[in-house]
Amino acid sequence: MPIRLACLDLAGTTIGDVAMVERAFAEAIATQGIVPGTGAYARAMVHVHRSRGCPTIDVFRGIFPANEAQAQAASLTFERSYEGVIGRAGLVPPPGTVEALEKLRAAGVKICLTTGFSRTTLDSVLAALSWSDKVDLALCPQDAGRGRPMPDMVLAAVLRLGIEDVRQVAVAGDSESDMLSGRRSGASVVAGVLTGVHSKERLLKGGATHILDSIADLPCLVLGRDLAETPVGASAC
């Protein structure tokens, strides 16, 4: 069954800003009294790493489980910090990303960008990228109901873009939560990308059907290739 929709993660997959995101998380928790050099800080950043791909607000709720006000305040600081970095440094996609998007769309594959960021942060990212002619849709958890690892964003993309069968979907991301979301949605391709935060082993644990060195390899995988030729855990190209 041909792939008609590619749901692609943002940070760590189609934009190479892993360090920028983690710095924004660090600044956000520091405003709530968790500062570098402490055990609390180390534990919080481990949680951030493990939870990458999940909704930003849910990550902070995991750090401040008994204080919703703190979680909301930290989330707001994260947004301001990350948007400030974007304004100063811009965003640089990994090599081959733009070409991959163009190849997929030229072949009739619709593109949906998915993220754990809030709508405010997502809009800032889209404005910085100027990709309006390269993607068909961009979704955050607020748009779909629930964020990753739930399948809602992928399924929302299927509905909004008129895809007939979830098996016509490819999901690609750099985190375990991306993989879980893709498998739960019923997508036939769930590709783990090694340009982001989680290891090959972690991606396979989440249910990756394929492992790619970068998103630049995705067109090779989904455009007219017999998926059975590529074993689970192997690079497609």
Side-chain angles (χ1 to χ4, degrees):
M1 184 170 290
I3 297 298
R4 299 300 184 202
L5 168 64
C7 292
L8 312 178
D9 173 54
L10 269 177
T13 303
T14 53
I15 55 176
D17 66 342
V18 172
M20 294 163 58
V21 173
E22 294 202 352
R23 184 160 56 249
F25 271 114
E27 292 178 3
I29 61 175
T31 64
Q32 302 304 309
I34 300 179
V35 296
T38 64
Y41 176 84
R43 290 190 295 272
M45 293 308 293
V46 167
H47 175 76
V48 167
H49 181 79
R50 289 176 176 169
S51 304
R52 285 296 297 271
C54 299
T56 306
I57 183 59
D58 288 351
V59 177
F60 288 116
R61 284 171 176 151
I63 297 172
F64 306 106
N67 196 321
E68 177 67 14
Q70 269 192 303
Q72 292 287 348
S75 182
L76 182 59
T77 301
F78 172 88
E79 291 180 359
R80 291 171 176 169
S81 175
Y82 186 64
E83 290 163 24
V85 172
I86 293 174
R88 294 189 299 272
L91 291 171
V92 180
T97 298
V98 173
E99 292 81 0
L101 297 179
E102 292 172 346
K103 287 178 184 177
L104 290 168
R105 293 197 82 204
V109 178
K110 296 183 182 296
I111 304 293
C112 176
L113 299 177
T114 62
T115 183
F117 294 152
S118 68
R119 171 48 65 175
T120 298
T121 305
L122 175 56
D123 287 343
S124 297
V125 170
L126 295 175
L129 291 172
S130 299
W131 278 0
S132 60
D133 62 334
K134 293 179 174 57
V135 303
D136 298 281
L137 185 65
L139 296 176
C140 67
Q142 294 164 275
D143 301 320
R146 297 174 298 178
R148 295 184 291 242
M150 298 299 111
D152 299 33
M153 287 192 289
V154 177
L155 298 177
V158 168
L159 293 172
R160 295 193 190 192
L161 295 174
I163 305 304
E164 296 179 355
D165 193 318
V166 291
R167 293 173 295 175
Q168 294 176 313
V169 178
V171 172
D174 68 306
S175 70
E176 182 180 6
S177 64
D178 288 305
M179 304 299 95
L180 289 167
S181 176
R183 292 304 292 261
R184 290 170 177 176
S185 74
S188 61
V189 174
V190 182
V193 179
L194 297 177
T195 52
V197 291
H198 287 164
S199 65
K200 174 181 177 179
E201 291 72 25
R202 188 78 182 272
L203 296 170
L204 290 172
K205 179 183 175 183
T209 60
H210 300 77
I211 299 294
L212 305 179
D213 289 332
S214 77
I215 200 66
D217 294 332
L218 188 63
C220 176
L221 172 62
V222 303
L223 298 181
R225 188 182 181 97
D226 183 359
L227 299 180
E229 294 179 359
T230 308
V232 173
S235 176
C237 300

